[in-house]
Amino acid sequence: PQAKLSSANGEGLTIAGQNPKFNSFYVDGALNNDVFGLANSGTNGGQTSTPPLSIDAIDQFQVVISPYDASLGNFTGGGINAITKSGTNTTKGSLYYYFRNQDLAGKTPNGEKVDATKFAEFQNKTYGFSVGGPIVKNKIFYFINAESQRDLRPQPFDVTNSYTGATKTVAQIQTLKDFLKSKGNYDPGTYLDNPETINADRISTKIDWNISEKQKLSVSYRYTKADRYNTNTSSNVAVQFGNNGWIQPNKTHSLSAELKSIIGKNASNKFLFTYSNVADDRSPIGDPYPRIVIYDGLATSGSQGLIIGSDPSSNVNILTQKNWSIIDVVKLNVGKHALSFGGEWEYNDVKNAFIQRVFGEYRYSTVADFYNNLSPLYYRTAYSLIDNINNDATAAAAQFKIGKGAGFINDDIRVNDKLSINLGVRADYYKWLSVPYSDPYANNVAIPKYATLYDMQGAKSGLAPKVPLSISPRVGFTYKIPEENIVIRGGVGLFTGRIPLVWPGGVFNNNGLFIGGYTTTNSTVLANIKFRQDPFNQWRASEVGLGVTKGGLNLIAEKFRNPRVFRTSLAVDKKLGDGWSTTVEGLFSKNI
């Protein structure tokens, strides 16, 4: 009941009622969040609909929602840590193959068994192996997992009997395809079956070294390469040509190195270094081409009719994320006190180039209007204002770095055999290490006008926010009643989380200086616009009589606070005997 997939958040995992992007996901302590925050799953590579590592490589999961241990932080939803398997003194492994298709799936859940139909043909295949064992017995161990995923989902379409537009015969659509090929040697792709495919390969490795009786080193490395071909499904109101889809490739490297040391009789230390390098390079399927929407007798709004050309959000779209972190925790046992204190440091280096409709978008009423090169009903484009590069190499990208530090102290007090109390406090600090470009026009002309309507909270162009220190005190307890087989536990505390960097990151590219563009349905302006098939030579505002010289402007408050929640919980666990137990738990969260 505390976690569910949320359709409102693109089937992301909502924990304790929070947005899925406010969860934190780690593998062997290494950050595997999509820190930028585009994937609904919240994990690296999530836009490809693939997991970041194989389930066969995982030894255990740790899931925390309201941990009153102050060493745990960076989330206001839930914290998830997947711990990968290690080798042992015995060499052992596994070889596996999973297969699923329409014959192994249930019928469509339409509520009427008599009318239920099978899914359309599809194939899901996953195969791999794991092996682990000793390199030096009792001393050094290894573990390796390798896995491949191959999914295919055909999307057959009967245009003649399904499509309700005017151009509905195979011969008519072939004439349109022939016209596109003769006009600009462009192939829009198929429309009768645009299969969606996922190809992914994952590797997970780990070395454990017992250096001595007092020191143990674990180093793990993971690599994922995934490609998803997102093809749009045709419908009764839209014929989607295959090259209107996009390719979503992802490469993720992730490294963890953990050194555990025993210091004397009552102390221990854990040092953890992690690194992740993530690249998402979304691109159109097929050759670059302007987007064309022909309404074809249907409503002249939205994406209806015949849809041709490159996906508008894939023209310029690349994201790279590099993340480093260092965590050190010292634990001391002094009488009834189990003290832990330490700190963590995190560094994020992000680059995101994203400009929609660089190749242009034209909308026409009929196929004849397009054949005769009449002016469109609608035109939209965008472009870099600082260079003439219409691809991922443009300088009109958000490039910024953020540092994060945290310190904590925690005391787990064993009051007696029945009662233990946890006291902790944590301090989190975020620092923007990059400064956005400043636009004098925005600060001198535009923002004073905005300020007459809105409280700008100190926001202005070129301002990086000053995030204040966030203090999070926590108190928890566990009380045992052995004679009743009952445990009562609970607590109260504050939790500070991270924010998806795509939101504040807009101040680094949507700054009025980098990206320009316009949308027009004005017939006077459109009279100057004819179809340009060269995707890299679209209509600039100055060519059609528009004086647009600025792009969109994103601003952020001068004192911006990261997400923070107050959370309290109370639970009762009771063992009933014969292996049965029950838990009743209440959890309350309030966003601050």
Side-chain angles (χ1 to χ4, degrees), residues 162-220:
S162 299
Y163 179 56
T164 56
T167 309
K168 61 187 305 174
T169 69
V170 172
Q172 287 174 314
I173 294 179
Q174 187 59 48
T175 300
L176 175 59
K177 294 183 67 173
D178 292 342
F179 178 81
L180 291 165
K181 194 164 185 65
S182 64
K183 185 177 180 65
N185 197 32
Y186 177 68
D187 181 1
T190 183
Y191 62 94
L192 295 175
D193 185 3
N194 298 329
E196 183 178 67
T197 63
I198 295 176
N199 298 319
D201 299 300
R202 293 178 280 271
I203 297 173
S204 181
T205 63
K206 193 173 188 179
I207 295 288
D208 292 286
W209 178 20
N210 294 328
I211 301 172
S212 68
E213 291 184 356
K214 293 187 175 183
Q215 283 192 314
K216 179 179 180 180
L217 176 67
S218 293
V219 179
S220 60

